[in-house]
Amino acid sequence: MRINANYRNIKDSYLFSTIGQKVSAYTAAHPEADVIRLGIGDVTRPLSPAVVDAMAKAARELGTAEGFHGYIPSEQGYLFLREAIADYYARRGVTLSPDEIFISDGAKSDLGNLLDLFDADNTALIPDPVYPAYVDANVMAGRRVVYCDATVENGFLPLPDEGVHADLIYICSPNNPTGAVYGREGLQKWVDYALRHDAVLLFDAAYEAFIEDPSLPRSIYEVEGAERCAIEVCSFSKMAGFTGTRCGWTVVPEALEREGMNLNRMWMRRQSTKYNGTPYVIHRAAEAVFTEEGYRQCMESIAYYKQNARIMAGTLDQLGIFYTGGVNSPYIWLRCPGGLDSWTFFDRLLEQANVVGTPGEGFGANGEGFFRLTAFNTREKTAEAMQRFERLARSL
Ligand code: MLT
């Protein structure tokens, strides 16, 4: 028996697990500490009433002979939710068939599972810094990874370099962790590059609902040619508070083919073999997000989080600390005060201010010296955390 030796090439623990362990160790040693968590992007607002009503109704339905549902008719997901998602795209001029939409238990699973469609002997191009699951999932499969630098100079929005060949390209926009969002021109450059290189673009749109500038694309399919080179992954987690409820979707266009194989058929084949589908109750809850009332309620929560981001930005402005994000995104990406490296600042913030954030280095080498805070906590805790942050930053 041989284990997958690629696991030797990743860190022992995933970024957010490492942070969780450090925080648990700290709270065990200091049970009196009132620790405020602005680390992992977990939401705090309750599910919206429209979502809860739909979920409760679906649960009751399952308790009746007529309304009971067993295995779902297609692992791709119930048609009613795929149609609701297609309609959501249609509102901004993107035409998708429900057959191109696959319901999942969240973006993270699909972003990893999609790699089943591609040979290990491929090169993945991944921005640095970015959501760490992309790199880890590729290294686990033994794939080559090359990076493109997201820096202050390029506004954290790197563009393709023709001299670098890639087969798989990751784009996260709005970006986790920097909050930077590509405009149409930038995305067009990536799509054109992917088409020229016969590559496939994996577009992570998990934060699209935070985009408030109507000129910014919320889907890669707003860009010409994307249906021939891009897979889009999206999630109800941040849009509707489903981090614990678990639901997302993936779009694999019918037009996406490589080496004579249709990727939509391949993904269907993969899912029907390895996934038994998202629960009926969760489908109904997710469907309610797209009703007029449900969507308005979800957008109220997003507005609440954005107000938190404004409070955080206000403190950083007063301190004269460089930061980005917080406008079209729930994350603020800042330079560590006092010139500290990102893990040292993490420790100081935890130990001296009892506030948890995420060290920039955890998102890639270019994140060294930076730090991420999320706007997903409550108003009161965010304000309190920023007062503590200010006191610490002034002392450095
Ligand atoms: C984050 O904090 O980056 C996200 O919450 C992680 C995730 O969505 O899996």
Side-chain angles (χ1 to χ4, degrees), residues 5-274:
N6 297 313
Y7 278 70
R8 298 191 199 282
N9 302 328
I10 48 173
K11 288 184 187 156
D12 283 350
S13 159
Y14 182 58
L15 173 65
F16 293 106
S17 315
T18 305
I19 292 172
Q21 285 153 16
K22 277 178 172 269
V23 175
S24 298
Y26 181 80
T27 49
H30 303 87
E32 73 298 341
D34 168 25
V35 174
I36 301 179
R37 291 161 205 265
L38 306 182
I40 190 164
D42 198 3
V43 293
T44 52
R45 301 270 292 167
L47 290 172
S48 72
V51 166
V52 174
D53 287 349
M55 209 186 304
K57 184 165 168 255
R60 278 194 300 273
E61 206 184 324
L62 289 181
T64 65
E66 316 73 56
F68 176 72
H69 292 75
Y71 285 126
I72 69 175
S74 161
E75 294 83 358
Q76 186 164 6
Y78 284 99
L79 184 61
F80 64 79
L81 181 55
R82 291 186 285 121
E83 282 177 341
I85 293 170
D87 180 59
Y88 179 59
Y89 278 85
R91 292 181 212 169
R92 60 192 114 111
V94 172
T95 306
L96 292 178
S97 151
D99 291 343
E100 297 177 298
I101 299 166
F102 295 75
I103 308 303
S104 69
D105 68 348
K108 185 184 187 179
S109 321
D110 274 8
L111 282 161
N113 294 337
L114 277 162
L115 295 175
D116 275 10
L117 307 191
F118 307 102
D119 197 275
D121 186 18
N122 273 316
T123 300
L125 177 63
I126 302 183
D128 173 4
V130 88
Y131 182 42
Y134 308 158
V135 174
D136 287 1
N138 277 285
V139 174
M140 282 173 186
R143 207 165 277 114
R144 285 181 301 279
V145 175
V146 292
Y147 297 93
C148 55
D149 292 329
T151 59
V152 174
E153 290 68 37
N154 61 25
F156 298 104
L157 295 170
L159 291 173
D161 173 350
E162 274 309 326
V164 175
H165 173 77
D167 305 297
L168 286 171
I169 302 155
Y170 287 78
I171 302 282
C172 177
S173 179
N175 181 268
N176 176 10
T178 66
V181 190
Y182 278 101
R184 207 168 297 274
E185 263 180 43
L187 288 184
Q188 188 69 62
K189 289 197 168 102
W190 279 113
V191 165
D192 294 345
Y193 169 93
L195 289 170
R196 271 196 302 277
H197 287 251
D198 208 25
V200 171
L201 227 155
L202 298 176
F203 188 77
D204 182 351
Y207 299 95
E208 60 80 27
F210 286 79
I211 295 182
E212 55 186 47
D213 178 345
S215 73
L216 293 171
R218 293 170 60 159
S219 163
I220 191 70
Y221 305 115
E222 292 178 50
V223 171
E224 210 185 311
E227 72 288 353
R228 286 179 286 118
C229 66
I231 293 175
E232 178 161 304
V233 179
C234 202
S235 166
F236 290 93
S237 286
K238 317 296 159 96
M239 171 199 210
F242 274 45
T243 51
T245 307
R246 307 306 312 151
C247 195
W249 72 87
T250 288
V251 180
V252 188
E254 300 273 8
L256 183 52
E257 298 199 339
R258 288 295 178 273
E259 297 189 322
M261 294 283 279
N262 180 286
L263 271 71
N264 178 288
R265 298 293 112 69
M266 285 173 73
W267 183 237
M268 185 67 216
R269 187 70 182 81
R270 190 268 172 211
Q271 291 296 81
S272 51
T273 305
K274 297 193 184 179

